[in-house]
Amino acid sequence: MLLQPLPTFNNVVATGVATLKVPKYALTLNRILLRLGGTTFTKAMITDIKIKLGVRTVYNITGPLLDAINKYKGLYDDAAHLTIDFNERDATTLPGKEIGGYDLSKLDDMTLEITITGATAPTLAATGFFTAPQDNDLIEKVLYFPTSTSVAGKFPINFNPMGALVKRVFFFYAGTDWGNGTNGNLNRLEVKKNGLVIHDADCVDNRFIAKEYQKVPQSKLYVYDPMVDNNASGMLVTSDAVSLEFNTFLTAGDAIQCYVELLDKPYNA
């Protein structure tokens, strides 16, 4: 793997959008490591991260939620670094590990936008992790689908993967957190494909299964993880899905921030 600093960010200010254009190397970009510095600049002050191919957003999340996703996966954590990882470190096969990287020479211009809010004299730098060109047909995307309800009950999360492979779905909620042996406000998730239930587990059991495979459950987060055992072949295939349902069960009204981690064709709508 090649390790190289990316170009300097433009507009790294206390409140604003810092931007960086990734050089169009004849290489595959597998991860980006952000380094935060300055007087006061924390991950909580990164209120939006966007990756764009041309004008199309293919990756969209906040700093704190990306940090929680990384911690769930067991990636190393410290206050000054935040990793945007397009690969699957713990996958059991080499293709499973590396699929998802961005083959830069075959894509539109790639830009990284970091929205900073409330920092003091921040600094920001990025390092790219590269491998030889892989001619990838699929890239890693993270897309955001919010929903909310004022009452308890069963509520669907509406999104259409458009034939992509679903790696994981992260359901962040604002209500009562889970505890030792207790469910959180999002207490159960049911997933149906073509009318058949393919996942149905309450929060307690889902967290236990995750821990069995060395994942790290995070506060106010329910994870649908079809490759929890690190077997990439477990990803949810949606190309043959006539119908697909993600039904959340809530004990009280809540706001849910749903982030879908996909392997998808770069320009799939």
Side-chain angles (χ1 to χ4, degrees):
M1 184 173 291
L2 306 177
L3 195 66
Q4 184 173 322
L6 294 178
T8 301
F9 277 96
N10 294 321
N11 195 45
V12 181
V13 295
T15 296
V17 181
T19 62
L20 178 159
K21 182 177 177 181
V22 178
K24 213 163 190 178
Y25 299 130
L27 295 169
T28 296
L29 177 63
N30 294 291
R31 55 164 36 193
I32 299 171
L33 178 63
L34 301 177
R35 186 176 74 249
L36 287 60
T39 304
T40 306
F41 184 24
T42 68
K43 297 172 191 177
M45 296 170 181
I46 297 178
T47 52
D48 194 31
I49 298 169
K50 281 190 175 71
I51 294 174
K52 293 180 178 178
L53 296 179
V55 298
R56 185 187 301 261
T57 297
V58 294
Y59 197 104
N60 183 201
I61 198 168
T62 71
L65 298 189
L66 176 57
D67 192 41
I69 288 172
N70 289 344
K71 289 175 181 175
Y72 167 81
K73 295 179 182 180
L75 300 184
Y76 187 75
D77 170 58
D78 73 23
H81 295 90
L82 182 62
T83 301
I84 304 171
D85 196 356
F86 308 126
N87 289 170
E88 198 63 40
R89 182 195 65 182
D90 297 331
T92 54
T93 64
L94 183 60
K97 287 178 183 289
E98 294 195 352
I99 191 170
Y102 286 64
D103 207 341
L104 296 170
S105 66
K106 300 181 181 301
L107 299 170
D108 289 346
D109 288 345
M110 181 177 182
T111 56
L112 175 60
E113 298 180 359
I114 307 294
T115 301
I116 303 169
T117 304
T120 304
T123 62
L124 181 63
T127 299
F129 292 65
F130 300 93
T131 56
Q134 296 176 2
D135 197 21
N136 283 344
D137 186 46
L138 301 173
I139 62 169
E140 166 111 342
K141 297 180 181 180
V142 173
L143 301 177
Y144 175 44
F145 300 89
T147 191
S148 62
T149 176
S150 59
V151 295
K154 174 183 175 181
F155 297 94
I157 306 292
N158 296 313
F159 66 89
N160 184 354
M162 300 287 291
L165 295 168
V166 176
K167 293 176 70 175
R168 298 177 185 90
V169 185
F170 298 90
F171 300 90
F172 292 92
Y173 55 93
T176 302
D177 201 359
W178 54 263
N180 185 21
T182 62
N183 290 323
N185 190 40
L186 199 167
N187 63 92
R188 177 182 157 212
L189 177 74
E190 175 190 68
V191 182
K192 290 183 176 181
K193 177 182 173 182
N194 297 333
L196 298 176
V197 175
I198 58 173
H199 175 96
D200 190 347
D202 69 11
C203 176
V204 168
D205 290 344
N206 198 59
R207 296 195 321 267
F208 176 82
I209 294 165
K211 287 188 283 188
E212 280 195 305
Y213 290 101
Q214 299 184 322
K215 303 301 187 292
V216 185
Q218 297 295 304
S219 175
K220 298 187 179 184
L221 173 62
Y222 187 111
V223 184
Y224 167 64
D225 191 349
M227 50 178 297
V228 67
D229 61 353
N230 301 316
N231 186 346
S233 65
M235 286 184 281
L236 175 59
V237 177
T238 69
S239 59
D240 59 352
V242 177
S243 64
L244 190 62
E245 300 176 39
F246 288 84
N247 297 313
T248 62
F249 291 79
L250 304 173
T251 58
D254 210 329
I256 300 174
Q257 299 183 74
C258 174
Y259 288 85
V260 185
E261 187 180 19
L262 303 165
L263 289 179
D264 194 15
K265 294 182 181 298
Y267 303 109
N268 193 20

